[in-house]
């Protein structure tokens, strides 16, 4: 498994677009992580526009939406559950739903077993240039 974080906007997707022959291969899956706590994820239309813009400039045929309800070091189980539910509601008018959940390693993964989606527990790292 290789994970490339291209920054979450069209600028990063342009760089990824040059590898579209690889990213659109049958053995690849592009995850589109949505943090419902970010200002550009507060409305369904905002999510749709940004996602479609990234897909277009990145030449991505398909993306899989994962929920990443993240408030940094302050993220708790309750905030994750509220964020996941919020994203489900936001995506409903678009005919979409989260296909997975990303959580930080300090929360208990078992809390989310009732969501019926894959839960990926990660160790958040931020590297600045």
């Amino acid at each position: 498994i290789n994970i490339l974080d291209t920054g979450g906007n069209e600028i990063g997707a342009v760089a990824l677009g040059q590898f579209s022959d690889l990213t659109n291969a049958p053995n690849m899956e592009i995850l589109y992580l949505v943090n419902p706590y970010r200002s550009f994820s507060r409305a369904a239309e905002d999510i749709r526009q940004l996602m479609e813009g990234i897909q277009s400039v990145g030449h991505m045929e398909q993306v899989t939406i994962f929920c990443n309800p993240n408030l940094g070091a302050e993220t708790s189980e309750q905030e994750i559950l509220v964020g996941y539910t919020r994203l489900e509601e936001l995506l409903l008018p678009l005919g979409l739903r989260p296909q997975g959940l990303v959580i930080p390693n300090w929360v208990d993964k078992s809390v989310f077993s009732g969501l019926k989606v894959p839960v990926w527990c990660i160790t958040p790292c931020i590297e600045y240039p």
Side-chain angles (χ1 to χ4, degrees):
I1 296 175
N2 292 297
I3 298 173
L4 302 174
D5 182 345
T6 59
N9 60 29
E10 288 94 341
I11 295 169
V14 167
L16 192 58
Q18 65 185 318
F19 303 106
S20 63
D21 58 326
L22 298 171
T23 58
N24 290 314
N27 65 338
M28 293 289 286
E29 184 171 17
I30 297 175
L31 302 181
Y32 184 72
L33 273 63
V34 179
N35 183 347
Y37 293 116
R38 299 290 298 264
S39 59
F40 47 82
S41 299
R42 294 205 174 135
E45 187 59 20
D46 296 337
I47 293 169
R48 186 194 62 74
Q49 284 181 356
L50 184 57
M51 182 176 67
E52 287 179 359
I54 289 170
Q55 279 185 270
S56 176
V57 300
H59 308 288
M60 300 170 196
E61 294 172 5
Q62 186 170 341
V63 297
T64 302
I65 299 173
F66 265 53
C67 184
N68 181 29
N70 183 344
L71 293 170
E74 307 303 316
T75 307
S76 70
E77 286 94 349
Q78 181 62 29
E79 288 155 342
I80 292 169
L81 287 169
V82 168
Y84 183 85
T85 301
R86 179 178 179 184
L87 184 59
E88 275 189 317
E89 292 168 358
L90 284 170
L91 294 177
L92 194 61
L94 302 176
L96 302 170
R97 62 182 310 265
Q99 299 299 306
L101 176 65
V102 177
I103 63 171
N105 62 345
W106 58 81
V107 298
D108 181 4
K109 184 177 178 179
S110 69
V111 171
F112 310 103
S113 61
L115 295 180
K116 307 291 189 236
V117 296
V119 178
W120 289 3
C121 188
I122 64 166
T123 302
C125 299
I126 298 177
E127 292 187 25
Y128 296 99

